[in-house]
Amino acid sequence: MNQGGPRDPKDVRAHGTGKSGGAQPAGAQSSSEDAKANYENLTPTKKPKSPKPQNAITIAVSSRALFRMEEEQKIYREQGLEEYVRYQLEHENEPFKPGAAFPFVKALETVNARLRELYPSSEDLFDIVLMTNNHAQVGVRLINTINHHNLFIERFCMTGGRSPIEYLKAYHTNLYLSSDAEKVSEAIEQGIAAATIFSPSKDVAVFEDQLRVAFDGDAVLFSDESEKIVKEHGLDMFFEHEKAYENKPLAQGPLKGFLEALGKLQKKFYAKGLRLECPIRTYLVTARSAASSGARALKTLRSWGLETDEALFLAGAPKGPLLEKIRPHIFFDDQMFHVEGAQQSGTIAAHVPYGIAQKHKRPTEDQDPKSLK
């Protein structure tokens, strides 16, 4: 993938051409154009500028979500901060291996490259911020790793042990991904779309030329209003409630804004006649039944001026087998039961700690409070 995107014509400088004051002969003009082309082929591609945060769709990713740092984390837990920093400095020329969020970030950059081709001056792009409470001395290894993997990440936030959550709003964050469930919950409480990301149990190839994002409905895109009825009164009451309120839109959930941001970029491709070739594809994957409760979900999206490319109503069936066919770069769900099922199918899944289902959540090994993310 060409990380640099299209070159700005204003960056091109003519060489070896005189001020003749008149038109050049045809042969001379051809030679000049050939020389210019040769020069451009020899010149390294210039990296694109990062968009202004207020214009971009900002994705904040923790270092342990983006890269695999299990060995380093073990040193921190068992030997303490000073030994951890010393180890990082000694190994700063050894790049980290890709982590759970890595394919998602690569797909974001693929979309950016396409957008820059179609809209060279637009700042409607994804902007990735590496958000970590690591000590700044570890930054060199992270920078070396980003360059090794040819990622375009210019913005870093390294807080030296302090929680990075307070900086998320300053970065105009549209989505925060971390391996730390406690920090993700803190972000959700601050009104920021966030999820705890998990690596799949097996490797499944994802698409390189299309970003695929799958969402659960209730307590993810929508509020947990309907889920509360299921938990408190059972399915029969839920079906009656959804039928009675079919034409009343559900309140928004924590990731509604992120779907809205994806839709905004999709429309830029549609405007160029590329609906079928759009490099972003979205999915609603819900346990709702289409016949008894699906209409309200779809009408809610319509009332927001949003849509998903595909809607899968599973009526309580496991989500894993369908996700294995979709192969999304990330799947968001509020229930760990579905996250674990997605992991087993080879899907990169992310837990959204929002709504009534969190009263019954189970702790995971990634919720260790003594960790650097």
Side-chain angles (χ1 to χ4, degrees), residues 285-289 312-322 333 337-338:
V285 182
T286 173
R288 283 175 175 253
S289 165
L312 306 175
F313 295 93
L314 304 185
K319 298 181 180 182
L322 272 297
D333 203 291
F337 171 80
H338 291 304

Side-chain angles (χ1 to χ4, degrees), residues 82-269:
E82 296 305 319
E83 185 61 26
Y84 170 85
V85 173
R86 186 192 67 78
Y87 180 89
Q88 295 283 32
L89 291 174
E90 289 180 353
H91 294 79
E92 65 182 19
N93 292 320
E94 299 175 15
F96 295 113
K97 294 181 180 179
F102 189 90
F104 175 66
V105 168
K106 291 292 286 185
L108 298 180
E109 294 191 343
T110 296
V111 174
N112 276 355
R114 293 285 305 278
L115 284 167
R116 287 189 173 103
E117 291 172 2
L118 295 172
Y119 301 93
S121 61
S122 175
E123 290 195 331
D124 291 331
L125 300 162
F126 293 111
D127 189 23
I128 301 144
V129 177
L130 189 69
M131 187 76 62
T132 174
N133 65 348
N134 261 296
H135 193 280
Q137 289 295 327
V138 184
V140 174
R141 189 176 185 191
L142 289 169
I143 291 169
N144 289 340
T145 300
I146 284 168
N147 290 332
H148 171 80
H149 292 294
N150 199 29
L151 296 173
F152 183 66
I153 301 178
E154 297 289 336
R155 303 191 203 279
F156 274 41
C157 182
M158 307 189 70
T159 63
R162 293 180 58 191
S163 172
I165 301 304
E166 61 188 89
Y167 296 100
L168 291 173
K169 286 189 176 180
Y171 278 96
H172 301 269
T173 302
N174 296 91
L175 176 68
Y176 172 56
L177 297 175
S178 175
S179 296
D180 186 334
E182 185 178 333
K183 289 187 178 65
V184 166
S185 294
E186 190 179 342
I188 289 281
E189 290 171 3
Q190 295 292 321
I192 296 165
T196 310
I197 192 167
F198 297 90
S199 296
S201 301
K202 62 180 181 179
D203 291 333
V204 174
V206 292
F207 289 84
E208 294 185 358
D209 58 352
Q210 185 179 62
L211 169 66
R212 295 191 170 193
V213 183
F215 299 89
D216 179 32
D218 296 294
V220 175
L221 291 179
F222 316 127
S223 72
D224 66 339
E225 168 198 328
S226 298
E227 205 157 271
K228 284 180 180 177
I229 294 173
V230 174
K231 299 290 186 185
E232 296 171 2
H233 303 287
L235 279 174
D236 289 341
M237 181 65 72
F238 165 74
F239 292 141
E240 290 180 16
H241 179 270
E242 293 304 285
K243 184 176 181 180
Y245 290 92
E246 177 180 317
N247 294 313
K248 180 183 178 181
L250 290 153
Q252 71 178 46
L255 264 68
K256 180 256 188 178
F258 181 53
L259 176 63
E260 189 173 25
L262 293 176
K264 175 184 175 182
L265 294 188
Q266 283 181 310
K267 289 176 181 177
K268 294 181 76 70
F269 290 99

Side-chain angles (χ1 to χ4, degrees), residues 35-54:
K36 179 180 176 183
N38 289 333
Y39 171 76
E40 290 180 346
N41 289 334
L42 291 172
T43 304
T45 303
K46 183 180 178 181
K47 278 192 173 183
K49 292 182 180 179
S50 296
K52 295 181 179 66
Q54 61 268 32

Side-chain angles (χ1 to χ4, degrees), residues 347-366:
T347 298
I348 300 166
H351 177 238
V352 181
Y354 176 84
I356 192 171
Q358 308 319 305
K359 293 181 180 180
H360 310 286
K361 67 181 179 180
R362 289 173 287 171
T364 69
E365 62 181 5
D366 282 320

